[in-house]
Amino acid sequence: MMSLGRLLMGGFCACAVSLGLGRFAYTPILPLMGIDTQSAGWLAASNNLGYLIGALWASWAPSESERHRLLNFGLALVAVSLAAMAWTRDPLAWNLIRLAAGIGSALVFVLASALVVPRLVQMGRAKLSGLHFGGVGLGIVASGSAIAWVGSWAADTGAWWAAGAICAMLSATSFLCLRHLGKQQAAGTAPPPRPVPFPLPLLAASYFCAGFGYIITGTFLVVVVRATPGLHDWANWAWVVVGLAAIPSAAAWGWVAEHKGYAPALGAAHILMTAGTALLGLSGHPAAVFLAALLYGGTFLGIAGMAVAFGRAITPDHAARTMGILTVGFSIGQIVGPVAAAKLAQSGGWTPALMLAAAVTLVGAPLLTIGELRRVRAARSPAPQSQT
């Protein structure tokens, strides 16, 4: 039986590879690449399109052994694609490489979670799943510190090489920790619980709003802070704050959802993320910028974790289908968001782009409130009487 420590370490490193580096190494390297805002938006959109493709691919894996093989492929693909960004300056090649990175990121994140979290449940340690997702924060910290430091003296080419090297080390660690996981027999599972009567379309719509808003801040935060007078040298540190806040966020929000309910917890996270995004757009004061980074880092991963868990609770008999619906909606938001924000930023600066992100994120809160009111109403309605 795999030890708990190896399981958590493998999952933690996989999450660091998938989103922390596969997606977000781009954020501190972007200002070094010398490309215009619109091109930056399209590069982000290419990565997020790849994530959608990879997530759908992962959902079709027919067996646990196949999921394990795809996980290993994804770990290698992310590391190679990060390093490959240093091999060329061609915009089309960059977009294709970021597309591949997105595919690899989704394979790693979805499949590592599908393999690790059920094992934690079997061990009676389901509450430790937040530690697994906290690896995303580790990758962000690495991108804002070590990778950004290399970029400060070796430009974007050196930063991409550093990202690939760090990713390769984390990928190897994850592979070694999880290499026997796919060969273990899964224990019997309990019958699915009773469905929660919450409208799935409202959850999917709110998750789209979160995807649209979060990716704008996540893509351009370092660019925005570097462009703020007096804060150029603090931009990467703000990104480190995002990562540090993200490490415990999934576990913390999981605790909130357990005690207050998924919909209220998700609504609160939407409001806090909105506040952080708006603060970044409206104030250039150092305290405001770092508070914005803290609010963003402390919410985006929690929203993702809660939304997925809530979707499973709504349709326990069709969890895979629900995961697909939520992933598609979230991914569409991620693809559209950076392109729309880049267009606004080119014509009107970063404030309108960030306010758009904040406004769309905020829309998710009333959608969740409406759904919660319907759930409460359904719970209070008397059960239909059988006719005799």
Side-chain angles (χ1 to χ4, degrees):
M1 183 70 176
M2 174 172 287
S3 71
L4 178 63
R6 285 174 64 89
L7 184 66
L8 287 173
M9 177 62 72
F12 190 82
C13 290
C15 286
V17 167
S18 61
L19 299 184
L21 292 173
R23 175 170 298 167
F24 287 129
Y26 176 63
T27 301
I29 300 176
L30 172 58
L32 310 175
M33 295 176 67
I35 59 177
D36 61 80
T37 303
Q38 195 63 49
S39 297
W42 282 111
L43 274 177
S46 294
N47 182 254
N48 295 321
L49 174 60
Y51 189 89
L52 173 60
I53 295 170
L56 295 174
W57 185 6
S59 70
W60 293 334
S63 65
E64 188 164 290
S65 60
E66 179 64 20
R67 290 193 290 270
H68 197 262
R69 284 192 291 270
L70 278 177
L71 168 62
N72 294 334
F73 171 71
L75 288 168
L77 180 60
V78 174
V80 170
S81 63
L82 289 176
M85 290 292 289
W87 301 347
T88 180
R89 308 295 298 183
D90 181 69
L92 177 59
W94 269 350
N95 276 277
L96 292 175
I97 292 169
R98 293 303 291 159
L99 180 78
I103 293 173
S105 294
L107 290 175
V108 174
F109 187 77
V110 173
L111 295 173
S113 300
L115 290 166
V116 170
V117 174
R119 289 294 188 276
L120 291 173
V121 173
Q122 293 165 17
M123 293 178 176
R125 300 298 185 93
K127 292 183 179 180
L128 295 180
S129 60
L131 298 178
H132 161 76
F133 294 112
V136 175
L138 170 68
I140 291 175
V141 170
S143 68
S145 55
I147 294 170
W149 175 75
V150 172
S152 67
W153 55 267
D156 62 313
T157 299
W160 284 118
W161 279 118
I166 293 173
C167 187
M169 290 186 287
L170 289 169
S171 292
T173 302
S174 181
F175 168 76
L176 292 173
C177 288
L178 302 179
R179 59 180 172 171
H180 299 304
L181 187 58
K183 300 176 182 178
Q184 297 178 0
Q185 295 297 317
T189 58
R194 184 177 179 182
V196 174
F198 188 98
L200 182 60
L202 289 177
L203 176 62
S206 72
Y207 201 36
F208 164 85
C209 294
F212 183 98
Y214 118 91
I215 198 61
I216 292 173
T217 307
T219 300
F220 297 114
L221 185 143
V222 172
V223 172
V224 172
V225 178
R226 282 172 66 100
T228 303
L231 292 182
H232 181 278
D233 295 335
W234 291 97
N236 289 323
W237 288 112
W239 191 237
V240 170
V241 169
V242 169
L244 292 173
I247 290 174
S249 66
W253 281 108
W255 183 89
V256 174
E258 181 180 353
H259 289 80
K260 301 297 183 181
Y262 281 114
L266 275 166
H270 273 256
I271 292 170
L272 289 174
M273 184 188 288
T274 298
T277 304
L279 195 59
L280 183 64
L282 296 174
S283 176
H285 192 281
V289 168
F290 281 96
L291 178 57
L294 184 66
L295 289 171
Y296 174 74
T299 53
F300 80 89
L301 198 55
I303 289 175
M306 288 189 291
V308 169
F310 195 17
R312 288 173 175 165
I314 293 170
T315 59
D317 292 323
H318 304 285
R321 184 189 68 184
T322 299
M323 280 285 293
I325 292 171
L326 293 177
T327 298
V328 168
F330 190 72
S331 297
I332 291 173
Q334 290 183 113
I335 293 167
V336 175
V339 177
K343 284 185 176 295
L344 282 176
Q346 276 196 325
S347 58
W350 286 111
T351 295
L354 290 168
M355 296 311 293
L356 172 66
V360 174
T361 303
L362 184 60
V363 169
L367 291 174
L368 291 161
T369 301
I370 294 170
E372 180 67 1
L373 291 174
R374 292 186 182 179
R375 184 196 68 79
V376 171
R377 190 181 304 119
R380 290 176 177 173
S381 299
Q385 299 294 322
S386 60
Q387 300 295 322
T388 59

